[in-house]
Amino acid sequence: MVRRVAVIGAGVGGLVSVKCCLDEGLEPICFESSEDIGGVWRYTDSTDDSRVSVYRSIITNTSKEMSCFSDFPYPEDFPSYLPHSLVLEYLRMYARHFDLLRHICFQTTVLSVRKRPDFTTSGQWEVVTETDGVRMSHVFDAVMVCTGHYQKPYLPLASFPGIESRFKGQHLHSQEYRDVQAFRGKRVLVVGIGNTGGDLSVELSRVAAKVFLSTRSNTWVISRVSDHGFPFDMVSTTRFNHFLDWLLPSALIRRIKFRKFNSWFNHTNYGLASSKSSKFKMIVNEELPFCLLSGTVVLKPNVKEFTENSAVFEDGTTEENIDVVLFATGYNFSFPFLEESVRSVIDDNRSLYKRVFPPQLEKPTLAIVGLIQLTGSIMVGSEMQARWVARVYAGWNKLPPPSRMMADVLKRKPPVKRNPSERENLKMSFISYMDEIAACAGVKPSVLRLLLTDPQLALAVFFGPCSPYQFRLVGRGKWSGARAAILTQWQRTLKPLRTRVLDDSSDSSSGWRWVYLLALPAALTAGFLFSKYPQPGWSPWAG
């Protein structure tokens, strides 16, 4: 019987893990190596220590309604997209509201996590920690590792001949970047066009003499602001759109999406992406197209080599007098405290059952929370993982035997190991993954059942944003405020914009009522079609 649970890390994953353990009657003790909560969201000017922090100007890519914890909405006066200071404030509010801080041991480093000699029968772990130079050994019934995947900067210098032997300028990883001051008046080359690479290129273009952005990927750029000014993820991440993705041929879906992306600006003209490309990534950036259009950022292909003061690109062009090369090439994860027999088999999250449990363990008492990449919020995905893990530890949910878990992992695992920039292309569908884990935890909502009992809520769940509150409608941990949170999420989105209210005589509410009335038969028809012709292994309807 699991009682005592060690939680490693007090970032987003650690906080929700402590809370979920408490919800299930377990006894969590969280170990945090720094002096405070927040993980990467706790900004610091220092780049001396090994702790990874966001940069000063960062704004979230997912909106507040789509990235909050499922039973704790952001304050309604918070903007839809948040700076790091407001994310950290929200995490502090969450910790205070659920009284989590008393379960956290700060400035305590976990040195080792090893199986006890009787692990095959007890499933227990020996955890060695260090606080102020004093080492202590603890015995826990289970462990939740919540250190995330932003741990070790991935700096592939070997792939760029001359960067270490010939190039006389400065090179650094984006982990060392905090603000623009050190780059003023310089010619900067940014390598990598993920969200970080795009953000830093735009920011540097305001003070640098010139910014070059090098990429080898086809990249579609989307805006946080969608049609009619609503957050993009609230408009696009819906169960209805997810159902269409399942129903229509993938080639048609891809064509529709590419046309939508190109309706903002033609990506081929900008050298970013072609609709003929089968492999591509998506980044969120409103300003990059204008920077490219105005010439303050110049897009370049992959770097072939570096000379003393220049970069030679694969298309044969050269850019001279490069002062700084900034690598925005992502991160690797590592678990140096885990014993070798466990650590050696976790080469990426695809080595884990449902991206959570190492499948080869005799007892499922070790879980990795937050080591995921989704098309939506990682915060929300981490919370769902933590809810499931806590239920498994408390005995409410059962895992398959190790042999079946291993078979599932092998079926899904890619044949070759990928570097961080390539993993970006393999993000999992937010709704698919959330539904998969929610089904395991017994908290997946049933749209058909809601249609029969609460049609207004059913239509909001199916056609509206797939917000985290949906996963608090049923099952253990059901939240009485979930229905109201779903039906008022658009009001909370607009609330911070009501700083100058204009008179609008149009009755928008009656228009929405007509939309809901027309959508009801459409939802029933879609439910019938899906139940008649199901897709093995997936359903947007089943609870």
Side-chain angles (χ1 to χ4, degrees):
M1 180 65 181
V2 169
R3 296 301 302 175
R4 282 169 47 85
V5 181
V7 178
I8 303 175
V12 169
L15 291 176
V16 294
S17 293
V18 171
K19 193 260 188 184
C20 292
C21 284
L22 293 172
D23 287 346
E24 298 301 331
L26 304 176
E27 300 171 8
I29 299 179
C30 178
F31 300 108
E32 166 58 40
S33 60
S34 72
E35 69 280 2
D36 203 353
I37 64 171
V40 297
W41 288 106
R42 185 163 59 83
Y43 172 79
T44 175
D45 287 320
S46 173
T47 60
D48 295 335
D49 59 19
S50 59
R51 193 178 73 83
V52 175
S53 160
V54 294
Y55 40 94
R56 187 193 300 274
S57 62
I58 195 169
I59 299 291
T60 57
N61 288 333
T62 53
S63 63
K64 67 177 183 180
E65 292 298 316
M66 301 296 285
S67 57
C68 65
F69 298 128
S70 58
D71 57 354
F72 195 75
Y74 275 94
E76 63 176 10
D77 59 341
F78 275 30
S80 283
Y81 292 103
L82 303 153
H84 59 79
S85 59
L86 289 184
V87 176
L88 182 59
E89 182 178 340
Y90 171 73
L91 295 178
R92 295 195 193 284
M93 293 166 59
Y94 182 79
R96 288 195 300 268
H97 182 79
F98 294 107
D99 195 18
L100 305 182
L101 295 179
R102 65 190 181 92
H103 300 279
I104 304 174
C105 301
F106 291 106
Q107 294 184 312
T108 300
T109 302
V110 174
L111 300 178
S112 67
V113 176
R114 300 184 179 280
K115 297 176 184 176
R116 296 268 291 166
D118 62 348
F119 180 83
T120 55
T121 56
S122 70
Q124 290 183 327
W125 299 85
E126 182 181 6
V127 178
V128 177
T129 63
E130 184 175 70
T131 307
D132 295 330
V134 178
R135 294 192 177 192
M136 294 186 64
S137 180
H138 319 258
V139 175
F140 286 96
D141 299 312
V143 177
M144 298 174 76
V145 179
C146 308
T147 50
H149 58 262
Y150 298 110
Q151 297 175 32
K152 293 174 56 180
Y154 176 67
L155 196 58
L157 298 181
S159 300
F160 298 92
I163 186 67
E164 295 181 285
S165 60
R166 295 194 296 270
F167 184 62
K168 293 185 176 180
Q170 179 187 9
H171 71 266
L172 69 158
H173 189 272
S174 58
Q175 186 239 350
E176 301 177 62
Y177 179 90
R178 290 297 180 268
D179 56 38
V180 299
Q181 297 309 316
F183 301 87
R184 192 174 298 275
K186 296 185 177 180
R187 289 169 61 85
V188 183
L189 170 61
V190 179
V191 177
I193 197 176
N195 285 309
T196 299
D199 284 351
L200 300 191
S201 296
V202 167
E203 184 165 90
L204 290 169
S205 71
R206 302 186 183 109
V207 301
K210 198 74 172 180
V211 175
F212 304 94
L213 176 56
S214 169
T215 177
R216 60 182 180 183
S217 305
N218 282 283
T219 305
W220 296 94
V221 182
I222 61 176
S223 171
R224 294 174 179 86
V225 185
S226 186
D227 299 338
H228 308 292
F230 288 108
F232 175 81
D233 55 356
M234 292 186 72
V235 174
S236 62
T237 309
T238 70
R239 292 186 178 277
F240 175 68
N241 288 340
H242 191 54
F243 175 71
L244 291 181
D245 286 346
W246 167 82
L247 184 66
L248 300 177
S250 58
L252 176 60
I253 290 293
R254 190 160 54 244
R255 193 176 306 126
I256 293 171
K257 288 182 177 179
F258 290 170
R259 180 170 294 183
K260 176 66 175 177
F261 297 154
N262 276 329
S263 68
W264 183 23
F265 69 95
N266 188 304
H267 284 65
T268 303
N269 289 344
Y270 283 65
L272 285 162
S274 167
S275 57
K276 296 180 180 179
S277 305
S278 59
K279 294 183 178 181
F280 60 91
K281 68 167 66 171
M282 290 171 51
I283 66 169
V284 178
N285 199 304
E286 296 76 35
E287 299 178 74
L288 182 60
F290 176 72
C291 288
L292 293 172
L293 195 61
S294 62
T296 55
V297 175
V298 176
L299 197 67
K300 302 293 292 186
N302 195 40
V303 177
K304 180 182 178 181
E305 63 177 338
F306 287 94
T307 64
E308 288 187 353
N309 62 0
S310 63
V312 181
F313 299 91
E314 290 183 346
D315 62 354
T317 60
T318 301
E319 295 296 343
E320 304 284 350
N321 301 318
I322 300 296
D323 298 302
V324 183
V325 180
L326 181 59
F327 287 93
T329 45
Y331 293 83
N332 279 322
F333 65 87
S334 66
F335 307 114
F337 47 82
L338 291 181
E339 68 172 62
E340 175 62 24
S341 65
V342 178
R343 185 175 69 243
S344 61
V345 297
I346 307 177
D347 51 9
D348 63 24
N349 66 8
R350 286 159 170 54
S351 304
L352 305 170
Y353 179 66
K354 307 292 187 185
R355 276 61 169 180
V356 178
F357 289 98
Q360 76 282 1
L361 295 177
E362 301 92 331
K363 295 287 185 179
T365 55
L366 176 74
I368 313 294
V369 174
L371 192 66
I372 46 174
Q373 289 181 305
L374 303 174
T375 56
S377 169
I378 295 177
M379 285 177 60
V380 178
S382 298
E383 184 197 23
M384 181 56 69
Q385 289 181 328
R387 291 176 68 189
W388 179 40
V389 171
R391 283 161 171 72
V392 170
Y393 288 172
W396 293 106
N397 297 132
K398 302 294 183 184
L399 295 181
S403 59
R404 281 180 52 194
M405 290 194 289
M406 283 294 297
D408 182 81
V409 166
L410 292 174
K411 181 175 65 175
R412 302 180 186 222
K413 193 175 180 182
V416 294
K417 187 175 180 179
R418 293 173 168 85
N419 65 44
S421 61
E422 291 171 325
R423 290 190 214 124
E424 184 74 15
N425 301 331
L426 298 172
K427 285 185 175 181
M428 295 177 289
S429 161
F430 174 77
I431 295 180
S432 291
Y433 186 72
M434 289 292 291
D435 275 353
E436 181 180 4
I437 304 304
C440 293
V443 297
K444 181 184 172 184
S446 169
V447 178
L448 279 179
R449 189 174 295 117
L450 286 174
L451 278 171
L452 299 175
T453 59
D454 192 341
Q456 181 187 13
L457 179 60
L459 293 174
V461 166
F462 186 63
F463 290 101
C466 185
S467 48
Y469 321 118
Q470 293 191 11
F471 301 97
R472 289 285 180 175
L473 291 170
V474 297
R476 286 183 60 80
K478 178 180 177 180
W479 177 42
S480 60
R483 183 183 189 275
I486 292 170
L487 297 180
T488 57
Q489 56 197 344
W490 292 110
Q491 289 94 310
R492 284 192 303 280
T493 299
L494 295 175
K495 177 65 164 60
L497 299 176
R498 302 300 193 195
T499 54
R500 178 174 179 259
V501 181
L502 301 177
D503 180 33
D504 186 357
S505 58
S506 63
D507 185 3
S508 59
S509 61
S510 63
W512 279 110
R513 282 196 292 271
W514 278 107
V515 170
Y516 278 128
L517 287 173
L518 292 173
L520 180 58
L524 288 170
T525 302
F528 171 77
L529 287 174
F530 197 90
S531 61
K532 189 173 180 61
Y533 305 105
Q535 172 81 359
W538 179 83
S539 168
W541 309 101

